[in-house]
Amino acid sequence: MCGLCGDLSPQDHWSDRDPGAGTARHRHERLQAVRTLLEGTGLTVSEWRGRGYQLANGRGRTVLVRDLGTLWAEAERMRGRPVDPLEAGSTP
Amino acid sequence: MSVPGVRPLTIVSGALGSGKTTLLRDLLSRPDLRSTAVLVNELGEMGLDHHQLRQVDERTVVLPGGCVCCATRSDVESALHELLATEDADHVDPVRRVVLETTGLADPAPVVATLQASPTLRHHFAVDRVVVTVDAQAVARGADQGPEWLQQVVCADLLVLTKTDLVPSAAAEDVAAHLRRLNPAAPVVSPAEVDLATTPVASAAAAAAAVAPLPAERHLAGVASTSVTLDGPVDWAGFAVWVSALLHAHGDRILRMKALLDTGGDGPVVLDAVQHVVHPPRHLPRWDGPRTSSLVLITRDLPPAQVVAALRDFLARRRPAATPAGGVTPPPTPRG
């Protein structure tokens, strides 16, 4: 795992070092944004105890991840290819 | 003796013979940089008489499973820990700034990664800018500057054009324009104009604004850049999520991303990514220039326009539907 996944410092993805990242509102908005990117991928996400995310693939596999870095890495593992925001952006 | 909080660490880089040492000598002679520690590769070659001079040997360590650009600099880490230990022992005055001089072959990104990876150092030092010297004569005559040079230019927050007296002024202008297109996030200045006291964010915003009308261009080795403005305010949570997914999927092709965002707060939010290494977002207290969100993007083998279009599309999908004209406005919340 490398810096793009935030795992140079395992407890601290760059997005979590934002001063406002801990608020419930920010977490909610972030979750909604992740859901937007996961549309059409077959994956779903929900918040896990305010400390991470629960990622599911609809076939009974569920994984807990702690931050956005590990979320995208795990999403890639679950579907066999990365969630590509450039593809999502071109979807009507 | 009290130790200051987070202190700026300035990286000075550039090709061999491009004027790094001359620039450093000049900077360190200025009164406002008196309490500066300097980390250099070659003590002998510097010819600097500076009380806080330390030698580092550019030991780059690739973390297990990590990619090359996320490597860390163990020599820098050791030198900074040593600096802190010396201060703790109360032997010297605390430094206010650290300047790290790197060789022309060094990639600045691992230094950023080093500070972020260290739970101790990141509370004491933060990379405030990467200053890269560029030999105008060498670039003007078309000398092959190599991939390391390109890497340093796209990582730069400030490009210092040296030896302009050795080329016609028109040629120097051409080199400066070339550099601006390669890296719209970095102002191109003369050595005399370098002022480490200015905020790098403000200068970056000014640089981006200055080149905004230029179209995206394809450059050396598939490298392309663009500088755009975004309709604000920008949904910060959505932006951060989108960027994190982008860097996961295409991080090896995003050489640099620098964003100054109007998120609806009093001041802008700054996000700076050098390859895969993302600086922690900064919320600035106020705007120094116009309240406009701007984004500078430098890519390799990926059209920046495609990235910008996808981002705009995502942000538009996330934006709540506008209140129809004549719609009901909610009553204000009673005070008290």
Side-chain angles (χ1 to χ4, degrees), chain B residues 2-51:
Chain B
S2 67
V3 176
V6 177
R7 288 164 275 182
L9 186 150
T10 303
I11 300 172
V12 177
S13 194
L16 191 66
S18 63
K20 290 189 299 288
T21 304
T22 306
L23 177 67
L24 265 180
R25 272 201 212 101
D26 173 42
L27 290 175
L28 294 172
S29 67
R30 300 180 189 178
D32 55 334
L33 292 185
R34 241 192 326 257
S35 300
T36 297
V38 187
L39 310 181
V40 298
N41 294 111
E42 299 288 344
L43 279 176
E45 290 184 8
M46 286 296 289
L48 285 169
D49 178 21
H50 199 267
H51 69 289

Side-chain angles (χ1 to χ4, degrees), chain A residues 1-4 8-9 12 14 17-19 26 29-30 32-34 36-37 39 68 72-73 76 83-86 88-89, chain B residues 63 65-67 70 122 236-238 240-242 244-248 250 271 276 278 280-281 283 310 313-314 317-318:
Chain A
M1 205 72 74
C2 72
L4 82 95
L8 282 169
S9 56
D12 225 356
W14 61 265
R17 296 183 68 190
D18 169 31
H26 186 87
E29 289 174 349
R30 202 148 69 167
Q32 295 306 318
V34 172
T36 303
L37 278 178
E39 284 171 9
L68 290 176
W72 299 125
E76 179 177 356
V83 175
D84 189 345
L86 301 186
Chain B
L63 296 179
C67 61
C70 300
R122 71 183 187 208
W236 167 235
V241 165
W242 192 88
S244 68
L246 176 75
L247 294 182
H248 180 82
H250 299 284
L271 186 69
H276 295 168
V278 184
H283 291 241
D313 182 80
F314 175 77
R317 282 193 289 157
R318 292 263 306 145

Side-chain angles (χ1 to χ4, degrees), chain B residues 99-169:
Chain B
V99 172
L100 168 67
E101 179 256 353
T102 72
T103 66
L105 298 177
D107 183 347
V111 179
V112 180
T114 299
L115 296 187
Q116 292 195 28
S118 167
T120 305
L121 293 180
R122 71 183 187 208
H123 293 298
H124 292 278
F125 304 100
V127 174
D128 78 327
R129 77 196 80 192
V130 177
V131 178
V132 174
T133 52
V134 176
D135 179 344
Q137 189 184 31
V139 178
R141 72 167 180 256
D144 181 13
Q145 301 293 300
E148 295 87 2
W149 178 82
L150 188 61
Q151 189 65 34
Q152 292 185 341
V153 168
V154 300
C155 284
D157 297 300
L158 188 67
L159 289 163
V160 184
L161 202 54
T162 61
K163 306 188 183 180
T164 51
D165 55 325
L166 301 179
V167 295
S169 58

Side-chain angles (χ1 to χ4, degrees), chain B residues 34 68 190 192 258:
Chain B
R34 241 192 326 257
V68 173
S190 69
K258 189 154 192 168

Side-chain angles (χ1 to χ4, degrees), chain B residues 80-288:
Chain B
L80 292 176
H81 276 297
E82 189 186 323
L83 190 68
L84 291 175
T86 310
E87 286 183 350
D88 281 346
D90 214 9
H91 291 155
V92 294
D93 290 338
V95 300
R96 303 285 171 197
R97 175 184 296 275
V98 176
V99 172
L100 168 67
E101 179 256 353
T102 72
T103 66
L105 298 177
D107 183 347
V111 179
V112 180
T114 299
L115 296 187
Q116 292 195 28
S118 167
T120 305
L121 293 180
R122 71 183 187 208
H123 293 298
H124 292 278
F125 304 100
V127 174
D128 78 327
R129 77 196 80 192
V130 177
V131 178
V132 174
T133 52
V134 176
D135 179 344
Q137 189 184 31
V139 178
R141 72 167 180 256
D144 181 13
Q145 301 293 300
E148 295 87 2
W149 178 82
L150 188 61
Q151 189 65 34
Q152 292 185 341
V153 168
V154 300
C155 284
D157 297 300
L158 188 67
L159 289 163
V160 184
L161 202 54
T162 61
K163 306 188 183 180
T164 51
D165 55 325
L166 301 179
V167 295
S169 58
E173 272 306 310
D174 286 347
V175 172
H178 177 56
L179 294 173
R180 286 189 193 101
R181 284 192 294 271
L182 273 176
N183 182 355
V188 181
V189 300
S190 69
E193 291 173 307
V194 177
D195 181 4
L196 298 186
T198 58
T199 59
V201 172
S203 52
V211 295
L214 290 175
E217 291 189 15
R218 190 160 285 281
H219 297 284
L220 309 174
V223 174
S225 66
T226 193
S227 172
V228 298
T229 57
L230 300 171
D231 295 334
V234 171
D235 161 23
W236 167 235
F239 185 88
V241 165
W242 192 88
V243 168
S244 68
L246 176 75
L247 294 182
H248 180 82
H250 299 284
D252 55 339
R253 298 197 287 168
I254 306 291
L255 300 182
R256 183 76 187 272
M257 174 182 278
K258 189 154 192 168
L260 187 75
L261 300 175
D262 172 13
T263 60
D266 291 338
V269 176
V270 180
L271 186 69
D272 193 356
V274 178
Q275 298 166 284
H276 295 168
V277 183
V278 184
H279 292 254
R282 282 178 293 164
H283 291 241
L284 302 186
R286 64 185 172 278
W287 290 84
D288 288 335

